[in-house]
Amino acid sequence: IMSFLVLEKNRKYIHDGLEKVLSNSIYPWQEMKIWELLIQSDKIKNQNIIRIAKERVRNVNYPSPARNYVMLFLGKHGDYQDREYIASIWPQELPYQTKRCILIALQEYSGRTEIYNKVQTTEGDIMITCLVEYLKQLGNPRYVYENKNIASDLAFLPPY
């Protein structure tokens, strides 16, 4: 099913169907796959999906793997306030995967340079600092590897 959905990821009827699924009770792993697909979309054609994402990212008790994907989604498809909210999460003690998702999500945030520079001088994790170096050298934001999966491949590498 996901192979078909990836091919049709920019169609409104796909977004409408995914919005209905997100509105129902689903397992976090299922939701992660839906956000993964939506991150790959060029433009979101159902604004209720954006509303759902805003609600979920602000719910600190939401399962963190799904919430991480929501951050990536809002980094790409959200607005300035969404990115500002994601940036405000940074100083907290965070799991490794969440830190990487935040950094990737902030590629289009106007205050990213300050955060990236701070990370490079204070973060003791070489993987995080290497990710920042990679993100800083990109000419355009990159949430999707060309002909591959989303940048969360980077975000979810194990910490070794």
Side-chain angles (χ1 to χ4, degrees):
I1 292 177
M2 288 304 281
S3 298
F4 167 75
L5 292 176
V6 167
L7 294 174
E8 301 294 320
K9 66 184 179 240
N10 292 312
R11 303 226 181 233
K12 183 166 180 358
Y13 77 93
I14 295 293
H15 291 182
D16 291 344
L18 292 175
E19 182 256 328
K20 288 177 185 171
V21 173
L22 287 169
S23 296
N24 292 316
S25 205
I26 58 174
Y27 292 108
W29 69 267
Q30 293 168 316
E31 185 169 340
M32 288 169 43
K33 291 309 243 176
I34 291 171
W35 292 117
E36 179 180 12
L37 176 69
L38 291 168
I39 291 164
Q40 296 180 56
S41 297
D42 296 325
K43 184 176 182 196
I44 300 304
K45 297 179 178 174
N46 181 321
Q47 291 306 301
N48 285 330
I49 292 172
I50 302 282
R51 179 190 52 77
I52 291 168
K54 289 174 189 253
E55 290 171 2
R56 300 227 169 119
V57 80
R58 284 166 175 77
N59 180 351
V60 294
N61 295 318
Y62 209 72
S64 62
R67 189 170 180 240
N68 289 345
Y69 274 91
V70 173
M71 285 186 219
L72 291 170
F73 171 83
L74 287 173
K76 181 175 182 184
H77 296 293
D79 57 24
Y80 177 81
Q81 287 85 11
D82 299 325
R83 293 181 194 108
E84 189 170 53
Y85 176 80
I86 292 167
S88 75
I89 298 170
W90 180 262
Q92 301 173 22
E93 286 295 317
L94 300 167
Y96 183 68
Q97 292 83 359
T98 302
K99 286 182 179 182
R100 287 186 281 185
C101 288
I102 289 172
L103 294 171
I104 293 168
L106 295 180
Q107 292 178 84
E108 296 183 63
Y109 176 58
S110 61
R112 74 183 171 279
T113 303
E114 180 182 331
I115 292 171
Y116 287 173
N117 289 340
K118 188 176 183 179
V119 167
Q120 286 183 304
T121 58
T122 61
E123 183 66 43
D125 187 330
I126 188 81
M127 292 293 287
I128 295 289
T129 55
C130 287
L131 175 61
V132 168
E133 288 175 26
Y134 170 76
L135 293 170
K136 286 174 78 172
Q137 63 84 32
L138 289 175
N140 295 312
R142 195 172 199 181
Y143 299 91
V144 179
Y145 283 130
E146 306 217 0
N147 301 319
K148 198 170 181 313
N149 286 327
I150 63 169
S152 64
D153 288 350
L154 283 175
F156 292 103
L157 288 172
Y160 41 79

